[in-house]
Amino acid sequence: MVCACLLTFLLVLYILFDVNYFVRMAFTLITGRLFEKKKKIFDATTIYGICTTQDVDLLFKHMNNARYLRELDFARFHYYDRSGIYSAIVKRGGGAVQGASSTRYRRAIPIFTPFKVVTKLIYWEDRHFYLEHQFISLTDNFVRAVILSKQTVTGSNIPVSEIIAAVEPNARLPELPKDLQLWMSSMDESSQKYRKRD
């Protein structure tokens, strides 16, 4: 009877929630805290994964596009936790959300291929900071995809520069990378386009 109730409860959880997502997130954060030292804000962080049957496209050959963004969640939160940026934001009454991302797929990640996602901070401005994520296959060390992501601080008027200074007082704003500059311009154009419609 107890086993039947437990199985029913687990089944309901799996129907109502993406349980694997929450388990993976907890695993990522816990293992990071147990086995990795804190990082400086410009240090790259790395998480590992493997393309399983749950990640593949309709042809069962390689990772589907949506799974890259899902992996990005784990990589981003791992970076937040190891660098201390997220706790600094929360201490100031704020939160952080992903405001945008730009993905360049260079070569597919085949099924059963192990890979790593390397995340690093590349720039910040008033209310946003920008991360670069590289998906690298472990079999050949090839950069399979590069994703730029815009992280937006919410619920607080404190500029990102103050948050960065609280975490790492001597940090200096890096030079704006050309590809990021072009993407930021593209987002500005898109914003203007939709503001005109409103």
Side-chain angles (χ1 to χ4, degrees):
M1 181 65 178
V2 174
C3 286
C5 287
L6 184 60
L7 285 174
T8 303
F9 176 70
L10 288 174
L11 180 61
V12 169
L13 278 180
Y14 268 89
I15 291 170
L16 296 178
F17 301 99
D18 186 353
V19 175
N20 292 341
Y21 174 87
F22 293 104
V23 169
R24 171 82 185 278
M25 187 66 75
F27 176 80
T28 300
L29 294 175
I30 290 167
T31 54
R33 290 182 181 187
L34 289 176
F35 301 112
E36 293 181 41
K37 294 178 181 177
K38 280 285 198 182
K39 302 273 189 177
K40 294 189 173 183
I41 61 162
F42 291 119
D43 290 344
T45 59
T46 304
I47 65 165
Y48 294 88
I50 186 168
C51 179
T52 70
T53 53
Q54 292 189 351
D55 302 318
V56 292
D57 67 346
L58 287 173
L59 301 176
F60 296 94
K61 288 188 173 182
H62 56 77
M63 192 151 82
N64 76 55
N65 295 346
R67 298 309 260 198
Y68 287 86
L69 294 181
R70 181 184 169 96
E71 289 296 320
L72 212 62
D73 265 4
F74 307 128
R76 187 172 71 249
F77 278 101
H78 181 254
Y79 173 80
Y80 282 166
D81 188 61
R82 294 295 78 216
S83 67
I85 284 180
Y86 191 72
S87 60
I89 293 170
V90 170
K91 281 179 187 173
R92 287 154 182 79
V97 295
Q98 178 151 301
S101 64
S102 173
T103 305
R104 180 174 174 235
Y105 302 103
R106 300 184 69 229
R107 191 181 295 171
I109 297 177
I111 190 170
F112 304 127
T113 299
F115 61 88
K116 63 183 178 181
V117 184
V118 178
T119 300
K120 63 182 178 180
L121 177 68
I122 57 172
Y123 195 70
W124 66 80
E125 55 184 1
D126 185 38
R127 297 189 41 80
H128 315 287
F129 57 97
Y130 297 87
L131 301 175
E132 180 189 76
H133 312 269
Q134 294 183 0
F135 284 71
I136 303 170
S137 46
L138 298 182
T139 51
D140 57 6
N141 209 36
F142 187 84
V143 178
R144 302 277 172 156
V146 179
I147 302 179
L148 298 175
S149 67
K150 174 184 177 181
Q151 310 302 308
T152 301
V153 175
T154 60
S156 172
N157 291 325
I158 297 173
V160 170
S161 57
E162 286 186 29
I163 294 165
I164 298 286
V167 177
E168 198 167 317
N170 296 323
R172 297 286 175 260
L173 182 65
E175 184 178 339
L176 180 61
K178 182 71 172 176
D179 56 344
L180 178 59
Q181 181 182 17
L182 293 170
W183 182 49
M184 290 166 73
S185 297
S186 168
M187 286 189 289
D188 287 341
E189 283 294 318
S190 177
S191 292
Q192 292 303 321
K193 173 181 171 183
Y194 287 101
R195 278 187 192 134
K196 291 173 185 174
R197 291 184 181 181
D198 295 340

